[in-house]
mmCIF file of all heavy atoms in Angstrom:
data_model
loop_
_atom_site.group_PDB
_atom_site.id
_atom_site.type_symbol
_atom_site.label_atom_id
_atom_site.label_comp_id
_atom_site.label_asym_id
_atom_site.label_seq_id
_atom_site.Cartn_x
_atom_site.Cartn_y
_atom_site.Cartn_z
ATOM 1 N N LEU M 170 -7.867 -6.394 10.770
ATOM 2 C CA LEU M 170 -8.340 -7.539 9.989
ATOM 3 C C LEU M 170 -8.355 -7.202 8.468
ATOM 4 O O LEU M 170 -8.090 -8.027 7.635
ATOM 5 C CB LEU M 170 -9.748 -7.956 10.459
ATOM 6 C CG LEU M 170 -9.809 -8.644 11.787
ATOM 7 C CD1 LEU M 170 -11.266 -8.923 12.197
ATOM 8 C CD2 LEU M 170 -9.019 -9.967 11.744
ATOM 9 N N VAL M 171 -8.691 -5.985 8.118
ATOM 10 C CA VAL M 171 -8.647 -5.522 6.713
ATOM 11 C C VAL M 171 -7.175 -5.663 6.200
ATOM 12 O O VAL M 171 -6.946 -6.139 5.102
ATOM 13 C CB VAL M 171 -9.187 -4.111 6.569
ATOM 14 C CG1 VAL M 171 -8.853 -3.520 5.200
ATOM 15 C CG2 VAL M 171 -10.680 -4.126 6.776
ATOM 16 N N VAL M 172 -6.213 -5.171 7.012
ATOM 17 C CA VAL M 172 -4.854 -5.198 6.553
ATOM 18 C C VAL M 172 -4.392 -6.680 6.465
ATOM 19 O O VAL M 172 -3.691 -7.073 5.450
ATOM 20 C CB VAL M 172 -3.933 -4.474 7.567
ATOM 21 C CG1 VAL M 172 -2.471 -4.677 7.286
ATOM 22 C CG2 VAL M 172 -4.218 -2.985 7.497
ATOM 23 N N VAL M 173 -4.818 -7.531 7.330
ATOM 24 C CA VAL M 173 -4.428 -8.944 7.238
ATOM 25 C C VAL M 173 -5.043 -9.600 5.980
ATOM 26 O O VAL M 173 -4.382 -10.375 5.275
ATOM 27 C CB VAL M 173 -4.918 -9.720 8.519
ATOM 28 C CG1 VAL M 173 -4.889 -11.206 8.338
ATOM 29 C CG2 VAL M 173 -4.048 -9.307 9.697
ATOM 30 N N CYS M 174 -6.268 -9.259 5.681
ATOM 31 C CA CYS M 174 -6.904 -9.805 4.487
ATOM 32 C C CYS M 174 -6.237 -9.271 3.237
ATOM 33 O O CYS M 174 -6.038 -10.096 2.276
ATOM 34 C CB CYS M 174 -8.393 -9.449 4.442
ATOM 35 S SG CYS M 174 -9.366 -10.309 5.702
ATOM 36 N N LEU M 175 -5.852 -8.018 3.178
ATOM 37 C CA LEU M 175 -5.178 -7.475 2.010
ATOM 38 C C LEU M 175 -3.777 -8.150 1.869
ATOM 39 O O LEU M 175 -3.358 -8.440 0.787
ATOM 40 C CB LEU M 175 -4.992 -5.958 2.182
ATOM 41 C CG LEU M 175 -6.251 -5.120 1.971
ATOM 42 C CD1 LEU M 175 -6.027 -3.718 2.354
ATOM 43 C CD2 LEU M 175 -6.744 -5.251 0.515
ATOM 44 N N HIS M 176 -3.116 -8.346 3.010
ATOM 45 C CA HIS M 176 -1.807 -8.982 2.930
ATOM 46 C C HIS M 176 -1.956 -10.423 2.418
ATOM 47 O O HIS M 176 -1.188 -10.848 1.567
ATOM 48 C CB HIS M 176 -1.206 -9.060 4.392
ATOM 49 C CG HIS M 176 0.150 -9.721 4.408
ATOM 50 N ND1 HIS M 176 1.277 -9.045 3.976
ATOM 51 C CD2 HIS M 176 0.506 -10.905 4.835
ATOM 52 C CE1 HIS M 176 2.289 -9.877 4.159
ATOM 53 N NE2 HIS M 176 1.845 -11.034 4.661
ATOM 54 N N ALA M 177 -2.960 -11.140 2.871
ATOM 55 C CA ALA M 177 -3.166 -12.497 2.405
ATOM 56 C C ALA M 177 -3.566 -12.564 0.940
ATOM 57 O O ALA M 177 -3.134 -13.472 0.192
ATOM 58 C CB ALA M 177 -4.252 -13.221 3.240
ATOM 59 N N ALA M 178 -4.277 -11.565 0.494
ATOM 60 C CA ALA M 178 -4.767 -11.556 -0.919
ATOM 61 C C ALA M 178 -3.627 -11.182 -1.879
ATOM 62 O O ALA M 178 -3.575 -11.692 -2.973
ATOM 63 C CB ALA M 178 -5.931 -10.602 -1.069
ATOM 64 N N PHE M 179 -2.815 -10.231 -1.501
ATOM 65 C CA PHE M 179 -1.831 -9.703 -2.433
ATOM 66 C C PHE M 179 -0.355 -10.065 -2.188
ATOM 67 O O PHE M 179 0.552 -9.560 -2.902
ATOM 68 C CB PHE M 179 -1.974 -8.188 -2.490
ATOM 69 C CG PHE M 179 -3.306 -7.735 -2.986
ATOM 70 C CD1 PHE M 179 -4.147 -7.023 -2.135
ATOM 71 C CD2 PHE M 179 -3.675 -7.993 -4.255
ATOM 72 C CE1 PHE M 179 -5.401 -6.626 -2.594
ATOM 73 C CE2 PHE M 179 -4.940 -7.569 -4.697
ATOM 74 C CZ PHE M 179 -5.778 -6.900 -3.878
ATOM 75 N N ALA M 180 -0.078 -10.848 -1.186
ATOM 76 C CA ALA M 180 1.316 -11.173 -0.845
ATOM 77 C C ALA M 180 2.023 -11.872 -1.953
ATOM 78 O O ALA M 180 3.210 -11.612 -2.250
ATOM 79 C CB ALA M 180 1.373 -11.993 0.430
ATOM 80 N N SER M 181 1.356 -12.793 -2.655
ATOM 81 C CA SER M 181 2.053 -13.527 -3.659
ATOM 82 C C SER M 181 2.308 -12.696 -4.912
ATOM 83 O O SER M 181 3.279 -12.930 -5.649
ATOM 84 C CB SER M 181 1.313 -14.814 -4.027
ATOM 85 O OG SER M 181 0.041 -14.445 -4.554
ATOM 86 N N GLN M 182 1.490 -11.706 -5.214
ATOM 87 C CA GLN M 182 1.633 -10.920 -6.384
ATOM 88 C C GLN M 182 2.588 -9.755 -6.193
ATOM 89 O O GLN M 182 3.384 -9.429 -7.068
ATOM 90 C CB GLN M 182 0.273 -10.345 -6.873
ATOM 91 C CG GLN M 182 -0.674 -11.360 -7.401
ATOM 92 C CD GLN M 182 -1.599 -11.874 -6.287
ATOM 93 O OE1 GLN M 182 -1.469 -11.485 -5.140
ATOM 94 N NE2 GLN M 182 -2.550 -12.697 -6.672
ATOM 95 N N THR M 183 2.458 -9.071 -5.059
ATOM 96 C CA THR M 183 3.239 -7.840 -4.866
ATOM 97 C C THR M 183 4.230 -7.880 -3.687
ATOM 98 O O THR M 183 4.923 -6.910 -3.449
ATOM 99 C CB THR M 183 2.272 -6.658 -4.616
ATOM 100 O OG1 THR M 183 1.644 -6.904 -3.340
ATOM 101 C CG2 THR M 183 1.241 -6.492 -5.661
ATOM 102 N N GLY M 184 4.259 -8.968 -2.978
ATOM 103 C CA GLY M 184 5.079 -8.999 -1.779
ATOM 104 C C GLY M 184 4.389 -8.245 -0.627
ATOM 105 O O GLY M 184 5.024 -8.011 0.415
ATOM 106 N N ALA M 185 3.116 -7.952 -0.817
ATOM 107 C CA ALA M 185 2.304 -7.214 0.227
ATOM 108 C C ALA M 185 2.937 -5.914 0.632
ATOM 109 O O ALA M 185 2.944 -5.583 1.760
ATOM 110 C CB ALA M 185 2.042 -8.147 1.412
ATOM 111 N N VAL M 186 3.411 -5.153 -0.305
ATOM 112 C CA VAL M 186 3.979 -3.816 -0.010
ATOM 113 C C VAL M 186 2.890 -2.833 -0.198
ATOM 114 O O VAL M 186 2.417 -2.573 -1.312
ATOM 115 C CB VAL M 186 5.136 -3.534 -0.922
ATOM 116 C CG1 VAL M 186 5.666 -2.149 -0.687
ATOM 117 C CG2 VAL M 186 6.229 -4.543 -0.737
ATOM 118 N N PHE M 187 2.397 -2.248 0.874
ATOM 119 C CA PHE M 187 1.360 -1.229 0.836
ATOM 120 C C PHE M 187 1.919 0.169 0.896
ATOM 121 O O PHE M 187 1.221 1.133 0.692
ATOM 122 C CB PHE M 187 0.348 -1.442 1.929
ATOM 123 C CG PHE M 187 -0.302 -2.784 1.902
ATOM 124 C CD1 PHE M 187 -0.202 -3.693 2.933
ATOM 125 C CD2 PHE M 187 -1.037 -3.140 0.806
ATOM 126 C CE1 PHE M 187 -0.801 -4.909 2.882
ATOM 127 C CE2 PHE M 187 -1.630 -4.395 0.712
ATOM 128 C CZ PHE M 187 -1.525 -5.286 1.737
ATOM 129 N N ASN M 188 3.200 0.278 1.223
ATOM 130 C CA ASN M 188 3.837 1.593 1.359
ATOM 131 C C ASN M 188 5.079 1.565 0.499
ATOM 132 O O ASN M 188 6.050 0.869 0.743
ATOM 133 C CB ASN M 188 4.248 1.767 2.817
ATOM 134 C CG ASN M 188 4.836 3.152 3.084
ATOM 135 O OD1 ASN M 188 5.061 3.906 2.147
ATOM 136 N ND2 ASN M 188 5.105 3.445 4.319
ATOM 137 N N PRO M 189 5.059 2.299 -0.607
ATOM 138 C CA PRO M 189 6.161 2.297 -1.549
ATOM 139 C C PRO M 189 7.507 2.740 -0.955
ATOM 140 O O PRO M 189 8.514 2.225 -1.354
ATOM 141 C CB PRO M 189 5.772 3.255 -2.645
ATOM 142 C CG PRO M 189 4.258 3.442 -2.544
ATOM 143 C CD PRO M 189 3.961 3.147 -1.126
ATOM 144 N N SER M 190 7.444 3.606 0.045
ATOM 145 C CA SER M 190 8.710 4.025 0.650
ATOM 146 C C SER M 190 9.352 2.899 1.399
ATOM 147 O O SER M 190 10.541 2.770 1.495
ATOM 148 C CB SER M 190 8.552 5.265 1.492
ATOM 149 O OG SER M 190 7.647 4.983 2.568
ATOM 150 N N ARG M 191 8.538 2.067 2.041
ATOM 151 C CA ARG M 191 9.013 0.876 2.734
ATOM 152 C C ARG M 191 9.646 -0.084 1.769
ATOM 153 O O ARG M 191 10.658 -0.724 1.992
ATOM 154 C CB ARG M 191 7.902 0.196 3.511
ATOM 155 C CG ARG M 191 8.401 -0.973 4.319
ATOM 156 C CD ARG M 191 7.231 -1.907 4.658
ATOM 157 N NE ARG M 191 7.644 -3.250 4.818
ATOM 158 C CZ ARG M 191 7.869 -4.126 3.908
ATOM 159 N NH1 ARG M 191 7.681 -3.861 2.628
ATOM 160 N NH2 ARG M 191 8.208 -5.362 4.202
ATOM 161 N N ASP M 192 9.045 -0.218 0.572
ATOM 162 C CA ASP M 192 9.513 -1.107 -0.431
ATOM 163 C C ASP M 192 10.835 -0.639 -0.986
ATOM 164 O O ASP M 192 11.804 -1.402 -1.116
ATOM 165 C CB ASP M 192 8.526 -1.253 -1.584
ATOM 166 C CG ASP M 192 8.997 -2.086 -2.741
ATOM 167 O OD1 ASP M 192 9.394 -3.253 -2.492
ATOM 168 O OD2 ASP M 192 8.993 -1.576 -3.838
ATOM 169 N N LEU M 193 10.942 0.653 -1.263
ATOM 170 C CA LEU M 193 12.197 1.201 -1.836
ATOM 171 C C LEU M 193 13.288 1.174 -0.812
ATOM 172 O O LEU M 193 14.442 0.836 -1.152
ATOM 173 C CB LEU M 193 11.914 2.654 -2.272
ATOM 174 C CG LEU M 193 13.126 3.368 -2.899
ATOM 175 C CD1 LEU M 193 13.555 2.643 -4.211
ATOM 176 C CD2 LEU M 193 12.839 4.804 -3.154
ATOM 177 N N GLY M 194 13.004 1.473 0.435
ATOM 178 C CA GLY M 194 14.047 1.365 1.482
ATOM 179 C C GLY M 194 14.622 -0.026 1.640
ATOM 180 O O GLY M 194 15.867 -0.185 1.828
ATOM 181 N N THR M 195 13.758 -1.014 1.586
ATOM 182 C CA THR M 195 14.219 -2.390 1.706
ATOM 183 C C THR M 195 15.073 -2.777 0.493
ATOM 184 O O THR M 195 16.127 -3.404 0.647
ATOM 185 C CB THR M 195 13.011 -3.322 1.813
ATOM 186 O OG1 THR M 195 12.183 -2.927 2.906
ATOM 187 C CG2 THR M 195 13.436 -4.754 1.941
ATOM 188 N N ARG M 196 14.668 -2.407 -0.657
ATOM 189 C CA ARG M 196 15.434 -2.695 -1.870
ATOM 190 C C ARG M 196 16.837 -1.981 -1.823
ATOM 191 O O ARG M 196 17.827 -2.573 -2.226
ATOM 192 C CB ARG M 196 14.669 -2.273 -3.153
ATOM 193 C CG ARG M 196 13.499 -3.158 -3.410
ATOM 194 C CD ARG M 196 12.742 -2.598 -4.638
ATOM 195 N NE ARG M 196 11.449 -3.240 -4.718
ATOM 196 C CZ ARG M 196 11.161 -4.286 -5.466
ATOM 197 N NH1 ARG M 196 12.109 -4.862 -6.190
ATOM 198 N NH2 ARG M 196 9.943 -4.824 -5.507
ATOM 199 N N LEU M 197 16.848 -0.756 -1.376
ATOM 200 C CA LEU M 197 18.110 -0.023 -1.303
ATOM 201 C C LEU M 197 19.060 -0.675 -0.210
ATOM 202 O O LEU M 197 20.271 -0.789 -0.440
ATOM 203 C CB LEU M 197 17.916 1.426 -0.949
ATOM 204 C CG LEU M 197 17.277 2.291 -2.082
ATOM 205 C CD1 LEU M 197 17.005 3.673 -1.551
ATOM 206 C CD2 LEU M 197 18.217 2.334 -3.306
ATOM 207 N N ALA M 198 18.439 -1.093 0.952
ATOM 208 C CA ALA M 198 19.267 -1.772 1.932
ATOM 209 C C ALA M 198 19.831 -3.094 1.360
ATOM 210 O O ALA M 198 21.023 -3.400 1.631
ATOM 211 C CB ALA M 198 18.395 -2.023 3.199
ATOM 212 N N LEU M 199 19.048 -3.872 0.713
ATOM 213 C CA LEU M 199 19.538 -5.118 0.136
ATOM 214 C C LEU M 199 20.635 -4.907 -0.949
ATOM 215 O O LEU M 199 21.572 -5.630 -1.037
ATOM 216 C CB LEU M 199 18.414 -5.939 -0.455
ATOM 217 C CG LEU M 199 17.421 -6.520 0.613
ATOM 218 C CD1 LEU M 199 16.245 -7.183 -0.085
ATOM 219 C CD2 LEU M 199 18.148 -7.520 1.479
ATOM 220 N N LEU M 200 20.488 -3.818 -1.679
ATOM 221 C CA LEU M 200 21.485 -3.451 -2.687
ATOM 222 C C LEU M 200 22.796 -3.073 -1.999
ATOM 223 O O LEU M 200 23.838 -3.485 -2.441
ATOM 224 C CB LEU M 200 20.956 -2.275 -3.515
ATOM 225 C CG LEU M 200 21.792 -1.916 -4.760
ATOM 226 C CD1 LEU M 200 21.824 -3.089 -5.747
ATOM 227 C CD2 LEU M 200 21.225 -0.652 -5.425
ATOM 228 N N ALA M 201 22.666 -2.378 -0.836
ATOM 229 C CA ALA M 201 23.878 -1.973 -0.126
ATOM 230 C C ALA M 201 24.580 -3.179 0.534
ATOM 231 O O ALA M 201 25.772 -3.211 0.723
ATOM 232 C CB ALA M 201 23.518 -0.948 0.963
ATOM 233 N N LEU M 202 23.785 -4.237 0.859
ATOM 234 C CA LEU M 202 24.324 -5.400 1.430
ATOM 235 C C LEU M 202 24.958 -6.383 0.414
ATOM 236 O O LEU M 202 25.508 -7.402 0.740
ATOM 237 C CB LEU M 202 23.255 -6.192 2.187
ATOM 238 C CG LEU M 202 22.787 -5.532 3.514
ATOM 239 C CD1 LEU M 202 21.592 -6.265 4.077
ATOM 240 C CD2 LEU M 202 23.936 -5.465 4.479
ATOM 241 N N GLY M 203 24.857 -6.009 -0.852
ATOM 242 C CA GLY M 203 25.582 -6.816 -1.864
ATOM 243 C C GLY M 203 24.706 -7.655 -2.798
ATOM 244 O O GLY M 203 25.200 -8.386 -3.575
ATOM 245 N N TYR M 204 23.399 -7.522 -2.663
ATOM 246 C CA TYR M 204 22.513 -8.231 -3.568
ATOM 247 C C TYR M 204 22.626 -7.657 -4.994
ATOM 248 O O TYR M 204 22.984 -6.477 -5.130
ATOM 249 C CB TYR M 204 21.103 -8.200 -3.064
ATOM 250 C CG TYR M 204 20.824 -9.188 -1.989
ATOM 251 C CD1 TYR M 204 21.087 -8.839 -0.643
ATOM 252 C CD2 TYR M 204 20.265 -10.411 -2.222
ATOM 253 C CE1 TYR M 204 20.838 -9.668 0.410
ATOM 254 C CE2 TYR M 204 19.998 -11.294 -1.198
ATOM 255 C CZ TYR M 204 20.275 -10.896 0.140
ATOM 256 O OH TYR M 204 20.061 -11.798 1.163
ATOM 257 N N ASP M 205 22.248 -8.460 -5.975
ATOM 258 C CA ASP M 205 22.356 -8.033 -7.336
ATOM 259 C C ASP M 205 21.278 -6.945 -7.635
ATOM 260 O O ASP M 205 20.308 -6.817 -6.904
ATOM 261 C CB ASP M 205 22.154 -9.241 -8.256
ATOM 262 C CG ASP M 205 22.554 -8.956 -9.676
ATOM 263 O OD1 ASP M 205 23.214 -7.899 -9.905
ATOM 264 O OD2 ASP M 205 22.218 -9.759 -10.562
ATOM 265 N N SER M 206 21.495 -6.205 -8.718
ATOM 266 C CA SER M 206 20.575 -5.122 -9.038
ATOM 267 C C SER M 206 19.278 -5.692 -9.639
ATOM 268 O O SER M 206 18.430 -4.872 -10.099
ATOM 269 C CB SER M 206 21.210 -4.107 -9.987
ATOM 270 O OG SER M 206 21.534 -4.805 -11.196
ATOM 271 N N ASP M 207 19.124 -7.011 -9.647
ATOM 272 C CA ASP M 207 17.848 -7.613 -10.126
ATOM 273 C C ASP M 207 16.678 -7.167 -9.231
ATOM 274 O O ASP M 207 15.529 -7.350 -9.614
ATOM 275 C CB ASP M 207 17.931 -9.120 -10.121
ATOM 276 C CG ASP M 207 18.823 -9.631 -11.279
ATOM 277 O OD1 ASP M 207 19.021 -8.808 -12.269
ATOM 278 O OD2 ASP M 207 19.309 -10.764 -11.219
ATOM 279 N N LEU M 208 16.974 -6.675 -8.039
ATOM 280 C CA LEU M 208 15.981 -6.168 -7.132
ATOM 281 C C LEU M 208 15.059 -5.140 -7.843
ATOM 282 O O LEU M 208 13.886 -4.999 -7.533
ATOM 283 C CB LEU M 208 16.534 -5.635 -5.841
ATOM 284 C CG LEU M 208 17.278 -6.523 -4.963
ATOM 285 C CD1 LEU M 208 18.108 -5.732 -3.958
ATOM 286 C CD2 LEU M 208 16.335 -7.439 -4.256
ATOM 287 N N PHE M 209 15.661 -4.357 -8.715
ATOM 288 C CA PHE M 209 14.922 -3.254 -9.359
ATOM 289 C C PHE M 209 14.423 -3.686 -10.715
ATOM 290 O O PHE M 209 13.803 -2.882 -11.417
ATOM 291 C CB PHE M 209 15.818 -2.020 -9.470
ATOM 292 C CG PHE M 209 16.203 -1.462 -8.156
ATOM 293 C CD1 PHE M 209 17.376 -1.776 -7.496
ATOM 294 C CD2 PHE M 209 15.276 -0.664 -7.483
ATOM 295 C CE1 PHE M 209 17.702 -1.222 -6.272
ATOM 296 C CE2 PHE M 209 15.601 -0.091 -6.218
ATOM 297 C CZ PHE M 209 16.818 -0.416 -5.651
ATOM 298 N N ARG M 210 14.692 -4.911 -11.099
ATOM 299 C CA ARG M 210 14.170 -5.369 -12.439
ATOM 300 C C ARG M 210 12.856 -6.141 -12.268
ATOM 301 O O ARG M 210 12.312 -6.563 -13.342
ATOM 302 C CB ARG M 210 15.240 -6.243 -13.098
ATOM 303 C CG ARG M 210 16.453 -5.385 -13.460
ATOM 304 C CD ARG M 210 17.355 -6.191 -14.369
ATOM 305 N NE ARG M 210 18.584 -5.377 -14.592
ATOM 306 C CZ ARG M 210 19.770 -5.718 -14.198
ATOM 307 N NH1 ARG M 210 19.954 -6.838 -13.567
ATOM 308 N NH2 ARG M 210 20.786 -4.951 -14.470
ATOM 309 N N ASN M 211 12.420 -6.425 -11.065
ATOM 310 C CA ASN M 211 11.161 -7.103 -10.890
ATOM 311 C C ASN M 211 10.018 -6.113 -11.127
ATOM 312 O O ASN M 211 9.536 -5.448 -10.187
ATOM 313 C CB ASN M 211 11.095 -7.713 -9.510
ATOM 314 C CG ASN M 211 9.887 -8.572 -9.310
ATOM 315 O OD1 ASN M 211 8.999 -8.626 -10.166
ATOM 316 N ND2 ASN M 211 9.822 -9.271 -8.161
ATOM 317 N N VAL M 212 9.632 -5.960 -12.357
ATOM 318 C CA VAL M 212 8.715 -4.945 -12.768
ATOM 319 C C VAL M 212 7.298 -5.147 -12.121
ATOM 320 O O VAL M 212 6.618 -4.189 -11.785
ATOM 321 C CB VAL M 212 8.573 -4.906 -14.287
ATOM 322 C CG1 VAL M 212 7.610 -3.873 -14.757
ATOM 323 C CG2 VAL M 212 9.927 -4.629 -14.915
ATOM 324 N N THR M 213 6.936 -6.381 -11.910
ATOM 325 C CA THR M 213 5.589 -6.651 -11.334
ATOM 326 C C THR M 213 5.448 -6.036 -9.989
ATOM 327 O O THR M 213 4.441 -5.328 -9.729
ATOM 328 C CB THR M 213 5.370 -8.182 -11.269
ATOM 329 O OG1 THR M 213 5.603 -8.744 -12.494
ATOM 330 C CG2 THR M 213 3.987 -8.458 -10.792
ATOM 331 N N CYS M 214 6.382 -6.206 -9.095
ATOM 332 C CA CYS M 214 6.282 -5.697 -7.749
ATOM 333 C C CYS M 214 6.366 -4.120 -7.776
ATOM 334 O O CYS M 214 5.579 -3.467 -7.113
ATOM 335 C CB CYS M 214 7.374 -6.217 -6.839
ATOM 336 S SG CYS M 214 7.150 -7.915 -6.432
ATOM 337 N N LEU M 215 7.280 -3.621 -8.575
ATOM 338 C CA LEU M 215 7.410 -2.144 -8.598
ATOM 339 C C LEU M 215 6.165 -1.504 -9.203
ATOM 340 O O LEU M 215 5.662 -0.517 -8.698
ATOM 341 C CB LEU M 215 8.628 -1.778 -9.442
ATOM 342 C CG LEU M 215 9.962 -2.104 -8.797
ATOM 343 C CD1 LEU M 215 11.120 -1.801 -9.765
ATOM 344 C CD2 LEU M 215 10.178 -1.243 -7.550
ATOM 345 N N CYS M 216 5.590 -2.089 -10.224
ATOM 346 C CA CYS M 216 4.381 -1.502 -10.859
ATOM 347 C C CYS M 216 3.212 -1.514 -9.911
ATOM 348 O O CYS M 216 2.487 -0.522 -9.791
ATOM 349 C CB CYS M 216 4.054 -2.224 -12.140
ATOM 350 S SG CYS M 216 5.159 -1.835 -13.507
ATOM 351 N N TRP M 217 2.998 -2.665 -9.259
ATOM 352 C CA TRP M 217 1.839 -2.734 -8.349
ATOM 353 C C TRP M 217 1.962 -1.768 -7.189
ATOM 354 O O TRP M 217 0.992 -1.056 -6.871
ATOM 355 C CB TRP M 217 1.656 -4.137 -7.848
ATOM 356 C CG TRP M 217 0.979 -5.063 -8.746
ATOM 357 C CD1 TRP M 217 1.491 -6.071 -9.486
ATOM 358 C CD2 TRP M 217 -0.407 -5.056 -9.088
ATOM 359 N NE1 TRP M 217 0.538 -6.669 -10.231
ATOM 360 C CE2 TRP M 217 -0.664 -6.067 -10.000
ATOM 361 C CE3 TRP M 217 -1.493 -4.248 -8.662
ATOM 362 C CZ2 TRP M 217 -1.888 -6.353 -10.533
ATOM 363 C CZ3 TRP M 217 -2.753 -4.561 -9.177
ATOM 364 C CH2 TRP M 217 -2.946 -5.547 -10.110
ATOM 365 N N SER M 218 3.111 -1.713 -6.581
ATOM 366 C CA SER M 218 3.232 -0.880 -5.394
ATOM 367 C C SER M 218 3.126 0.586 -5.690
ATOM 368 O O SER M 218 2.422 1.404 -5.020
ATOM 369 C CB SER M 218 4.456 -1.227 -4.572
ATOM 370 O OG SER M 218 5.633 -0.981 -5.381
ATOM 371 N N TYR M 219 3.888 1.043 -6.713
ATOM 372 C CA TYR M 219 3.944 2.484 -7.007
ATOM 373 C C TYR M 219 2.725 2.930 -7.824
ATOM 374 O O TYR M 219 2.171 3.984 -7.540
ATOM 375 C CB TYR M 219 5.222 2.779 -7.765
ATOM 376 C CG TYR M 219 6.465 2.672 -6.891
ATOM 377 C CD1 TYR M 219 7.235 1.503 -6.903
ATOM 378 C CD2 TYR M 219 6.715 3.665 -5.952
ATOM 379 C CE1 TYR M 219 8.312 1.406 -6.090
ATOM 380 C CE2 TYR M 219 7.801 3.535 -5.124
ATOM 381 C CZ TYR M 219 8.597 2.392 -5.192
ATOM 382 O OH TYR M 219 9.665 2.265 -4.332
ATOM 383 N N LEU M 220 2.233 2.136 -8.718
ATOM 384 C CA LEU M 220 1.048 2.483 -9.479
ATOM 385 C C LEU M 220 -0.147 2.596 -8.591
ATOM 386 O O LEU M 220 -0.972 3.496 -8.700
ATOM 387 C CB LEU M 220 0.829 1.501 -10.630
ATOM 388 C CG LEU M 220 -0.350 1.760 -11.539
ATOM 389 C CD1 LEU M 220 -0.101 3.046 -12.308
ATOM 390 C CD2 LEU M 220 -0.567 0.596 -12.466
ATOM 391 N N GLY M 221 -0.291 1.648 -7.710
ATOM 392 C CA GLY M 221 -1.434 1.642 -6.783
ATOM 393 C C GLY M 221 -1.412 2.836 -5.859
ATOM 394 O O GLY M 221 -2.439 3.513 -5.627
ATOM 395 N N SER M 222 -0.270 3.222 -5.326
ATOM 396 C CA SER M 222 -0.185 4.321 -4.430
ATOM 397 C C SER M 222 -0.427 5.657 -5.124
ATOM 398 O O SER M 222 -1.114 6.545 -4.615
ATOM 399 C CB SER M 222 1.182 4.380 -3.726
ATOM 400 O OG SER M 222 1.338 3.200 -2.983
ATOM 401 N N ILE M 223 0.201 5.859 -6.306
ATOM 402 C CA ILE M 223 0.051 7.080 -7.051
ATOM 403 C C ILE M 223 -1.395 7.249 -7.537
ATOM 404 O O ILE M 223 -1.976 8.328 -7.363
ATOM 405 C CB ILE M 223 1.034 7.135 -8.200
ATOM 406 C CG1 ILE M 223 2.462 7.231 -7.648
ATOM 407 C CG2 ILE M 223 0.754 8.273 -9.115
ATOM 408 C CD1 ILE M 223 3.531 7.103 -8.666
ATOM 409 N N SER M 224 -1.965 6.185 -8.087
ATOM 410 C CA SER M 224 -3.375 6.324 -8.538
ATOM 411 C C SER M 224 -4.337 6.541 -7.374
ATOM 412 O O SER M 224 -5.264 7.291 -7.493
ATOM 413 C CB SER M 224 -3.775 5.133 -9.413
ATOM 414 O OG SER M 224 -3.692 3.955 -8.626
#
Side-chain angles (χ1 to χ4, degrees):
L170 288 174
V171 167
V172 170
V173 167
C174 290
L175 287 171
H176 180 77
F179 297 114
S181 63
Q182 293 93 355
T183 66
V186 176
F187 301 120
N188 184 352
S190 61
R191 183 200 155 276
D192 176 54
L193 182 64
T195 304
R196 289 176 194 265
L197 290 174
L199 289 173
L200 188 65
L202 289 173
Y204 282 83
D205 195 11
S206 63
D207 288 339
L208 295 166
F209 294 98
R210 292 191 185 115
N211 188 352
V212 178
T213 306
C214 288
L215 289 173
C216 286
W217 277 107
S218 62
Y219 291 99
L220 182 66
S222 298
I223 292 170
S224 62

